[in-house]
Amino acid sequence: MNENRVSVLHDIQQAIRQAKRCAVATHVRPDGDAVGALLAAATLLRKLGKQVDAYCQDPPPPGHDFLAGVQSIRHTWDPDADYDAAFLVDCGELQRVGGVLAEKIIRVPVIVNIDHHVNHDPFGTVAWVDPQASSTCEMLYTLSRHLGVEPDKDMAEQLYTGILTDTGSFRFSNTTHKVLRMAAELVARGAEPAFIAGRVYDSASPGRLHLLAKVLETVEYHADCRLATAQLTQAMFRQTHTNREDAEGFINHLRSVKTVVMAVLFREDVDQVVHVSLRSKSPVDVAAFARAHGGGGHRHAAAFRMQGPLEQVRHAVTREAVRLLQRTANQEALR
């Protein structure tokens, strides 16, 4: 373990030691790593004798209701609570928890930021940001070992779920030998891979397949089939009686094509805002692409939001993506 990590883990340990009541929060529209990290951090702090409230503006994605503590997640701030410390997990920036929660959290005396997204300006009294980590749950497992807290079955399931989902079921390039060793240790402590995978991936609503069919009808290929794009409209949601949660993971169908090295899914939100999801394979870096538009994420999974009509945004972003692929190809040719 390098000196910087030892130092920041010591600082987190000190912040925990000095706190009595803690808030833990994660980002809006949470994914598996966000929910797993939120609940695992709360479990860890409770094992250390702290009073803890877990916060998330939005409900967890489908298939995550089996996780211990999920029913106790608060969606609005407790006005009577007096927190000594706030722990933000899986948040690239404070505002990612949502405006209302951010306004409350910023007033907490100590803010501990634990995250694995690329961030050139980490926030918090203590900031532990490790883009090399597969997931925030991986980082929390490391923290629990540093603090001498052994995960029980509940915590093992929480951590395993976050690692499973953020590694794409151990398919993405962030699946290292360390990650697999952690997963094995969590299984030894009670996490059941088949049960968890079944709940997370086999809990689709009946309308999800109809929604997917409509999205796949909009697929377009560009740059010699190295770029795949598709779109998801509000009308599609209405026609299939589905919602945003039903569309989780759709972009992976675009990425799964052999020739595709970059996939983009344009989801129409309200008030002419378009959510742009990005996925890629080496050597394409979509995190940098997203940051250029005010978003963020990982090298091979990122997102941002853009104002404008769906067709206009799709055309503009597709044009930029084609240019990115051309630059990347030229750079690779020079190596």
Side-chain angles (χ1 to χ4, degrees):
M1 189 176 294
N2 62 49
E3 291 184 9
N4 288 339
R5 179 180 292 185
V6 171
S7 176
V8 74
L9 289 176
H10 174 75
D11 291 342
I12 294 174
Q13 185 173 15
Q14 287 297 105
I16 294 173
R17 187 172 294 159
Q18 294 169 8
K20 291 184 179 179
R21 188 168 187 184
C22 306
V24 183
T26 192
H27 60 77
V28 297
R29 298 183 294 277
D31 55 9
D33 187 35
V35 174
L38 175 69
L39 297 175
T43 301
L44 174 61
L45 290 168
R46 291 189 184 107
K47 285 178 174 291
L48 294 169
K50 311 302 175 181
Q51 290 182 276
V52 186
D53 291 318
Y55 288 92
C56 184
Q57 174 184 291
D58 299 317
H64 291 70
D65 56 353
F66 70 95
L67 293 171
V70 73
Q71 300 301 328
S72 65
I73 296 174
R74 301 180 62 100
H75 304 298
T76 57
W77 193 257
D78 182 353
D80 298 322
D82 186 15
Y83 298 111
D84 305 298
F87 293 78
L88 269 66
V89 293
D90 207 41
C91 287
E93 57 185 27
L94 178 58
Q95 290 299 319
R96 284 280 286 144
V97 299
V100 175
L101 286 179
E103 288 179 5
K104 304 297 184 180
I105 290 171
I106 197 67
R107 300 173 187 171
V108 178
V110 174
I111 298 176
V112 178
N113 169 20
I114 302 175
D115 183 42
H116 72 126
H117 297 89
V118 176
N119 192 330
H120 299 294
D121 187 24
F123 65 90
T125 313
V126 181
W128 180 24
V129 179
D130 183 6
Q132 301 304 312
S134 68
S135 56
T136 303
C137 279
E138 176 187 329
M139 298 172 69
L140 286 171
Y141 180 83
T142 299
L143 177 62
S144 71
R145 296 301 297 267
H146 176 79
L147 297 173
V149 176
E150 298 294 340
D152 57 13
K153 185 179 188 297
D154 288 347
M155 189 173 173
E157 289 183 336
Q158 294 158 352
L159 293 172
Y160 183 93
T161 299
I163 292 172
L164 174 73
T165 54
D166 253 26
T167 58
S169 300
F170 306 107
R171 294 182 298 114
F172 296 162
S173 59
N174 57 0
T175 306
T176 63
H177 73 281
K178 180 173 68 172
V179 169
L180 292 173
R181 188 170 61 246
M182 283 184 182
E185 291 174 357
L186 292 170
V187 170
R189 296 191 175 277
E192 299 179 39
F195 170 77
I196 294 174
R199 295 299 295 269
V200 171
Y201 298 118
D202 299 331
S203 298
S205 69
R208 176 180 165 89
L209 290 183
H210 293 301
L211 181 63
L212 176 60
K214 289 182 177 296
V215 170
L216 293 180
E217 287 178 353
T218 72
V219 171
E220 294 179 358
Y221 294 105
H222 309 268
D224 297 324
C225 292
R226 290 180 296 139
L227 171 66
T229 68
Q231 66 185 43
L232 174 53
T233 67
Q234 289 295 310
M236 291 177 185
F237 284 132
R238 291 192 295 271
Q239 292 162 2
T240 57
H241 305 288
T242 54
N243 55 41
R244 188 178 62 224
E245 287 72 27
D246 290 301
E248 285 294 323
F250 278 9
I251 192 170
N252 294 323
H253 291 279
L254 308 183
R255 185 183 181 274
S256 70
V257 176
K258 182 177 181 179
T259 59
V260 170
V261 294
M262 182 174 178
V264 187
L265 178 61
F266 301 90
R267 189 189 73 225
E268 181 185 42
D269 287 342
V270 296
D271 299 327
Q272 288 202 328
V273 173
V274 179
H275 182 273
V276 184
S277 295
L278 308 166
R279 296 293 185 273
S280 69
K281 303 170 187 173
S282 294
V284 180
D285 181 358
V286 291
F289 189 93
R291 286 197 300 274
H293 293 282
H298 312 294
R299 182 177 179 83
H300 299 306
F304 63 92
R305 294 161 69 84
M306 182 176 284
Q307 190 80 35
L310 175 60
E311 295 298 334
Q312 179 180 314
V313 170
R314 182 172 183 175
H315 177 74
V317 173
T318 298
R319 187 174 55 207
E320 286 189 47
V322 169
R323 287 201 294 264
L324 170 63
L325 294 183
Q326 291 172 340
R327 288 196 305 272
T328 302
N330 292 338
Q331 291 167 357
E332 288 296 302
L334 293 174
R335 291 182 180 178

